[in-house]
Amino acid sequence: MIRKYKAEDFYELAKVMDEGRMQELEAEGMEQVFISLKDAPYLKYFLSCDIYVAEKDEQVVGFVGLGRRRLDFLYVLPGMQGKGIGSALMKTALAKLPRPVRLAVFADNERAKNLYQKFGFKVTETRTEK
């Protein structure tokens, strides 16, 4: 089930983000820069996004955060990936966002890139940052 974020979802949502963020940082060899969502310098911006959560058995298992014309955040608990949750969140995002939709993804995040390509996204720019 996909529904609108409520403030009482924060701790479950933070768990999803923290686990997913660590997974993507480890794939890039950058786990040393991990910061928990509750301590992140972008927390205020994150909470200003239009957030939808994916729920299974009354537990938050994923979410998508929408900015203006941008898909800013999409995370699914690592143990729940590959079960269609990311696709359901993408469908929600694409139904809400005006075109063109933009997003950014780590170069080695193959799962995310495959999901985005499935929905027609194409690479328009590649950046290397340290």
Side-chain angles (χ1 to χ4, degrees), residues 21-80:
R21 185 74 170 154
M22 182 56 84
Q23 180 186 42
E24 71 182 346
L25 289 171
E26 285 172 346
E28 298 290 325
M30 296 174 53
E31 57 272 16
Q32 71 275 9
V33 302
F34 173 80
I35 298 172
S36 178
L37 177 61
K38 67 180 177 46
D39 300 319
Y42 53 84
L43 178 59
K44 186 175 179 178
Y45 172 76
F46 173 81
L47 292 173
S48 76
C49 288
D50 197 12
I51 303 171
Y52 295 86
V53 299
E55 208 176 52
K56 182 172 174 36
D57 300 326
E58 297 183 23
Q59 177 191 359
V60 174
V61 295
F63 70 90
V64 64
L66 311 177
R68 190 168 174 252
R69 291 189 178 266
R70 245 185 104 71
L71 192 160
D72 282 321
F73 302 92
L74 193 156
Y75 287 94
V76 175
L77 279 174
M80 298 300 291

Side-chain angles (χ1 to χ4, degrees), residues 84-101:
I85 296 164
S87 289
L89 289 165
M90 279 297 298
K91 288 175 185 172
T92 298
L94 294 174
K96 305 285 182 190
L97 287 169
R99 302 301 186 267
V101 176

Side-chain angles (χ1 to χ4, degrees), residues 117-130:
Q117 288 170 354
K118 177 178 158 182
F119 285 89
F121 284 82
K122 301 204 179 337
V123 175
T124 59
E125 180 182 355
T126 302
R127 279 191 266 170
T128 302
E129 297 179 12
K130 294 289 179 189

